[in-house]
Amino acid sequence: MFNFIWPLAVIVLSNVVYQICTKGIPPEMNTYASMTVTYGVATIFSVLAFFVTSRGGNLFREISLANWATVILGIVITGLEVGFIFAYKAGWKVSTLATVANGLLSIALIFVAVIGYHESISWSKIIGVLLCLAGLWFINRQ
């Protein structure tokens, strides 16, 4: 059970700190300069974490196993990051941005799951989508 829960806890905690940090980037700083610093730190952290967890593994051998998904993920993560940074710079609130984005993401992923992965869609998922849309409507009312 622990192996099922701890990754979720890491995701939630990291997302909370992520939103705080993203909102805290100086508005006058170039977004891509910020991303350069962010990914420089992420690269150093990832290399250190690799050596701590790999028990003498070969980093270059592991990197050689990368496929298209690893490369595209780097591009997509950059889009995700700059999207949040630009949204906060445009005035979105911490209390609503992630909720709205994740609500819309949840709806989009149901379609991806059904079309791309042939997962079944149930009435409970359809009701969930409707509740999600209702929640987005309530969150965005001023």
Side-chain angles (χ1 to χ4, degrees):
M1 184 66 155
F2 176 75
N3 287 335
F4 192 74
I5 293 176
W6 81 262
L8 183 60
V10 169
I11 291 168
V12 171
L13 178 62
S14 295
N15 262 300
V16 169
V17 175
Y18 167 87
Q19 296 299 330
I20 292 167
C21 293
T22 305
K23 178 80 170 164
I25 293 172
E28 62 276 359
M29 182 178 193
N30 180 285
T31 299
Y32 296 99
S34 171
M35 294 296 296
T36 301
V37 173
T38 298
Y39 284 107
V41 172
T43 299
I44 292 167
F45 180 79
S46 295
V47 168
L48 291 173
F50 171 81
F51 286 114
V52 167
T53 62
S54 71
R55 300 185 191 119
N58 183 326
L59 180 60
F60 296 109
R61 182 183 130 346
E62 294 297 325
I63 289 173
S64 73
L65 299 174
N67 66 1
W68 65 269
T70 305
V71 175
I72 299 299
L73 184 60
I75 295 167
V76 171
I77 287 174
T78 303
L80 178 66
E81 307 286 351
V82 299
F84 272 105
I85 293 169
F86 283 124
Y88 281 130
K89 286 182 178 185
W92 275 86
K93 295 178 182 170
V94 173
S95 62
T96 57
L97 177 59
T99 304
V100 170
N102 286 320
L104 293 171
L105 171 65
S106 296
I107 293 167
L109 285 177
I110 287 175
F111 292 102
V112 169
V114 170
I115 295 167
Y117 295 95
H118 309 290
E119 295 179 12
S120 62
I121 186 155
S122 63
W123 280 107
S124 63
K125 287 182 183 176
I126 293 169
I127 292 169
V129 167
L130 295 174
L131 288 172
C132 194
L133 289 170
L136 291 173
W137 182 79
F138 278 110
I139 285 172
N140 287 298
R141 290 189 58 187
Q142 299 296 346

